[in-house]
Amino acid sequence: MKSLASIMTLSLCTAAMANTDSLTVEMKVLSESGAGASAGKVVIRETPYGLEFTPTLTGLQQGVHGFHVHENPSCDAKEQNGKMVAGLAAGGHFDPAGTKRHGLPWGDGHLGDLPPLFADMSGNAANPVLAPRLKLADVRGHALMVHAGGDNHSDHPAALGGGGARVVCGVIQ
């Protein structure tokens, strides 16, 4: 029979391991004024197959949304051409190899290119996506971004997959 102390030690070790292989990112609705109300959260979990991003998001438009890790740890608005742009302080897609190429999450483009999110008829996104080239150490200190529209994982016909405006963001810590 195991002692209470050994059971408690095992429980603490298990909890510590769980904390090191997953992160919870609080996601906020974006506007030209900056990050606002809560849109939910995304749990990022390390798996043998890459990072699993599990959203619990609300208030999105129904349909497919571009989903990316961005280079800077900010969800603030930033001025561009004399106008404040929601989430622009997050910078571009995370691209540590300098590929300067938008691509498939399992391809050779930006490392921050993730599979798209799908919002149901009620505007909820809950389906997990897998990013096979990423580890938790890669994404800490960056922003996680949801775009208004879908993402074709190409720079044609529209730049950066055509996802459009940045609508929801969280800083990965």
Side-chain angles (χ1 to χ4, degrees), residues 129-154:
V129 299
L130 184 68
R133 299 185 299 150
L134 288 172
K135 300 205 175 302
L136 280 177
D138 297 327
V139 300
R140 288 182 192 271
H142 298 283
L144 186 59
M145 190 72 65
V146 178
H147 292 266
D151 186 341
N152 69 4
H153 293 102
S154 172

Side-chain angles (χ1 to χ4, degrees), residues 57-146:
L57 299 174
T58 61
L60 296 171
Q61 289 293 318
Q62 176 186 357
V64 178
H65 295 270
F67 191 40
H68 306 98
V69 175
H70 281 246
E71 60 190 351
N72 301 324
S74 176
C75 294
D76 293 338
K78 185 177 174 183
E79 188 176 332
Q80 182 180 52
N81 301 325
K83 180 182 173 196
M84 294 304 285
V85 178
L88 192 60
H93 296 176
F94 179 52
D95 188 22
T99 67
K100 300 185 186 332
R101 186 174 53 251
H102 191 61
L104 297 170
W106 48 87
D108 59 359
H110 302 145
L111 195 57
D113 292 336
L114 304 176
L117 292 182
F118 176 76
D120 65 18
M121 290 176 53
S122 300
N124 301 315
N127 294 324
V129 299
L130 184 68
R133 299 185 299 150
L134 288 172
K135 300 205 175 302
L136 280 177
D138 297 327
V139 300
R140 288 182 192 271
H142 298 283
L144 186 59
M145 190 72 65
V146 178

Side-chain angles (χ1 to χ4, degrees), residues 23-90:
L23 299 167
T24 299
V25 181
E26 298 299 323
M27 304 293 286
K28 303 283 185 177
V29 176
L30 297 178
S31 74
E32 292 80 19
S33 304
S38 175
K41 66 182 178 179
V42 174
V43 175
I44 305 172
R45 187 173 68 90
E46 187 128 1
T47 78
Y49 310 103
L51 288 184
E52 176 188 83
F53 292 78
T54 304
T56 307
L57 299 174
T58 61
L60 296 171
Q61 289 293 318
Q62 176 186 357
V64 178
H65 295 270
F67 191 40
H68 306 98
V69 175
H70 281 246
E71 60 190 351
N72 301 324
S74 176
C75 294
D76 293 338
K78 185 177 174 183
E79 188 176 332
Q80 182 180 52
N81 301 325
K83 180 182 173 196
M84 294 304 285
V85 178
L88 192 60

